[in-house]
Amino acid sequence: MARDMSDKDILKMELEQLQKEVKNTREPVSKTAKEICEWVEAQAAEDPLIKGVPEDKNPFKEKGGCIIT
Amino acid sequence: MCDQTFLAITFGPCDNCTQNKPLMNIYLKNEPINYCSLCVELMACQALAKGETINTLKAESESLKAKLEEERAKLHDVELHQVAEKMEALGQFVMKTRRTLKGHGNKVLCMDWCRDKRRIVSSSQDGKVIVWDAYTTNKEHAVTMPCTWVMACAYAPSGCAVACGGLDNKCSVYPLSLDKNENLSSKKKSVAMHTNYLSSCSFTNSDMQILTSSGDGTCALWDVESGQLLQSFHGHSADVLTLDLAPSETGNTFVSGGCDKKANVWDMRSGQNVQSFETHESDINSVKYYPSGDAFASGSDDATCRLFDLRADREVAIYSKESIIFGASSVDFSLSGRLLFAGHNDYTINVWDVLKGTRVAILFGHENRVSTVRVSPDGTAFCSGSWDNTLRIWA
């Protein structure tokens, strides 16, 4: 669809979009960044790629070993 | 021999103003029309509103963009890595290839994990779509598509079907059966129809709806059973290369990225583009929602990955290094969102600490560009597909 539109139509579409976006509500980065960090801290304890998985429990580490069905 | 074209100038009454003038023979909607040059100019100007030209539109667009940046900058009071300084640094990273899935005859273009955390579907340039058991490396199903360059594939949430598409401009769903002898191609269901190649597809929370993105610049939501178009999303001005759905708890939105360097966030129900980010310097190859749903990351041909915060409405981090000059083709987060895996065209996978903005590891192993990277649903491993025809599972 975008390929069939003339340059003018594309510009008009972008313009309307920008007019809408200027009205969006925004929060300060200090607040949102803090919340992201807190969320990660809460979840990081459960993240197998961070805390590591003991060799015998990880289905990928042992080739041909325990297959969890 | 005789390959010169001559423009015959006709002279006579104009179809529009009826004056006798040299006429321009033009075609409007396949109908030949003879207008004098003055009338042709007037006709071209009719579409423009009073005082509106391409230049005025551009100028207005630029000033709005500047205003938007100003509004965003007001809230940019601190950097993400500053807030993350107090966090513990990550330990030494040891990740190795645990399985190598060989079997594709050509470049692997896309892959997806099944929710059972062990099955994988992958698609390749040679038109084959293969379902693997990642624990044993066995191939469970194989389908040959009628087209080459199958750029998109996705596993259904139930694990009972896969969707795929590419240069055929369609997205087709194949129900997977347990019967090995059954010909899967016979059960194929064509769901989506675009006017250009299919770049990415994803099931929504159920097997019943599929979201697709295409080289024709649009994204679309389809009902699988009837093949009906439920909603279409217009707003990109060039090919859309990637999309990702928001994690189910946070609502009905998805993000898409394209060759127009923009990443757009859409509301699935209304079809509206709610937010748009244009800070990348080249095509965006991959977008992925942050596990909390409040942010998303993107990987681009400009060799950087960036994190965009949806509530602050701005880019909050750039993951790049002078030494990384090849584009990132695919990105994914670990379960907690602390790590970002990015597959690059220089055959490596870079692993970043999302919050501190530092690289924690480079993974070598593939012998050609890495085209797709996906973390498993339970976060115990991630899989990468490459143009070297193999997939690797890392843990």
Side-chain angles (χ1 to χ4, degrees):
Chain A
M1 309 294 283
R3 288 168 179 223
D4 306 327
M5 292 162 75
S6 68
D7 285 341
K8 192 167 95 60
D9 287 332
I10 290 182
L11 273 177
K12 261 201 162 145
M13 189 169 75
E14 285 180 2
L15 199 56
E16 280 163 17
Q17 181 55 34
L18 283 169
Q19 282 163 343
K20 273 188 241 154
E21 282 187 32
V22 177
K23 303 186 187 137
N24 279 347
T25 50
R26 290 175 193 88
E27 296 177 23
V29 177
S30 49
K31 174 159 167 279
T32 58
K34 203 155 81 61
E35 287 178 20
I36 289 185
C37 288
E38 281 163 8
W39 195 91
V40 172
E41 294 238 13
Q43 301 282 323
E46 290 308 308
D47 188 341
L49 289 170
I50 293 191
K51 75 175 198 299
V53 180
E55 289 284 330
D56 51 346
K57 291 259 173 54
N58 189 326
F60 290 109
K61 288 198 172 169
E62 170 114 14
K63 192 166 174 162
C66 51
I67 294 178
I68 301 163
T69 48
Chain B
M1 275 190 0
C2 191
D3 53 8
Q4 288 175 297
T5 46
F6 293 89
L7 183 63
I9 304 188
T10 57
F11 188 89
C14 164
D15 283 351
N16 197 31
C17 62
T18 67
Q19 292 173 32
N20 272 343
K21 284 183 164 184
L23 299 177
M24 296 181 67
N25 309 104
I26 56 171
Y27 283 82
L28 269 185
K29 297 194 173 127
N30 298 326
E31 296 281 327
I33 297 217
N34 297 319
Y35 276 16
C36 65
S37 53
L38 183 62
C39 290
V40 168
E41 291 252 5
L42 285 175
M43 190 172 55
C45 291
Q46 270 162 19
L48 295 169
K50 188 162 192 242
E52 197 183 70
T53 61
I54 293 226
N55 286 333
T56 58
L57 282 179
K58 258 203 194 133
E60 218 187 311
S61 184
E62 291 301 315
S63 78
L64 264 184
K65 276 190 194 166
K67 179 144 190 285
L68 196 54
E69 261 320 297
E70 215 185 285
E71 292 290 319
R72 285 173 168 170
K74 279 186 204 160
L75 296 167
H76 189 200
D77 43 2
V78 77
E79 295 283 345
L80 179 62
H81 60 85
Q82 287 170 323
V83 176
E85 255 162 20
K86 331 177 210 110
M87 292 184 79
E88 247 179 66
L90 291 170
Q92 201 27 266
F93 227 71
V94 177
M95 275 196 117
K96 293 193 291 189
T97 303
R98 304 292 176 171
R99 302 277 191 278
T100 307
L101 305 178
K102 297 191 196 187
H104 275 294
N106 214 319
K107 311 175 172 65
V108 175
L109 302 174
C110 184
M111 56 98 23
D112 192 17
W113 287 88
C114 177
R115 285 192 185 179
D116 70 359
K117 310 160 221 164
R118 94 186 250 181
R119 289 193 177 75
I120 290 182
V121 63
S122 62
S123 65
S124 139
Q125 183 196 341
D126 63 0
K128 287 238 173 26
V129 174
I130 301 183
V131 177
W132 315 75
D133 177 339
Y135 292 177
T136 60
T137 76
N138 289 338
K139 299 182 198 35
E140 298 201 341
H141 299 94
V143 177
T144 306
M145 293 277 287
C147 67
T148 56
W149 286 90
V150 187
M151 293 175 248
C153 63
Y155 228 116
S158 66
C160 299
V162 292
C164 48
L167 285 187
D168 57 350
N169 300 358
K170 295 195 274 206
C171 184
S172 315
V173 175
Y174 291 86
L176 298 174
S177 80
L178 291 170
D179 181 358
K180 297 283 170 154
N181 295 330
E182 186 153 15
N183 184 4
L184 286 179
S185 304
S186 58
K187 294 275 188 70
K188 164 178 156 172
K189 193 185 220 127
S190 270
V191 175
M193 286 282 287
H194 277 278
T195 51
N196 212 315
Y197 66 89
L198 191 85
S199 52
S200 180
C201 65
S202 173
F203 282 88
T204 59
N205 281 330
S206 74
D207 282 17
M208 290 292 98
Q209 292 181 352
I210 287 197
L211 195 56
T212 59
S213 67
S214 163
D216 65 11
T218 67
C219 300
L221 181 64
W222 310 82
D223 176 273
V224 174
E225 199 49 53
S226 60
Q228 211 191 4
L229 174 65
L230 299 171
Q231 184 65 264
S232 76
F233 306 90
H234 299 259
H236 279 285
S237 44
D239 303 14
V240 185
L241 296 179
T242 173
L243 61 83
D244 189 38
L245 277 147
S248 37
E249 308 86 47
T250 52
N252 298 322
T253 58
F254 73 94
V255 61
S256 66
C259 292
D260 55 357
K261 310 177 204 163
K262 288 213 196 110
N264 292 338
V265 180
W266 308 85
D267 179 319
M268 290 214 302
R269 279 170 297 197
S270 64
Q272 287 297 317
N273 176 356
V274 292
Q275 280 172 288
S276 172
F277 302 89
E278 196 175 348
T279 53
H280 270 293
E281 294 161 19
S282 186
D283 302 358
I284 298 182
N285 295 317
S286 173
V287 288
K288 201 83 191 139
Y289 256 99
Y290 199 72
S292 69
D294 293 327
F296 70 91
S298 59
S300 157
D301 275 347
D302 64 5
T304 67
C305 297
R306 293 171 199 238
L307 186 70
F308 298 89
D309 187 321
L310 293 171
R311 288 173 310 164
D313 192 35
R314 62 170 298 118
E315 170 194 295
V316 290
I318 306 186
Y319 308 103
S320 70
K321 261 179 160 16
E322 294 263 328
S323 51
I324 304 179
I325 54 173
F326 284 83
S329 57
S330 180
V331 296
D332 201 359
F333 285 104
S334 69
L335 206 62
S336 63
R338 184 70 195 268
L339 300 170
L340 178 71
F341 298 95
H344 285 258
N345 294 341
D346 60 0
Y347 316 174
T348 65
I349 299 172
N350 288 308
V351 187
W352 299 87
D353 178 334
V354 171
L355 303 175
K356 293 190 188 273
T358 54
R359 180 168 65 180
V360 294
I362 320 179
L363 302 174
F364 298 94
H366 277 296
E367 292 160 21
N368 205 321
R369 14 170 122 178
V370 180
S371 53
T372 174
V373 169
R374 285 285 249 269
V375 172
S376 74
D378 60 354
T380 50
F382 76 92
C383 180
S384 58
S386 157
W387 281 18
D388 65 4
N389 307 358
T390 67
L391 292 115
R392 280 170 188 253
I393 314 255
W394 308 75

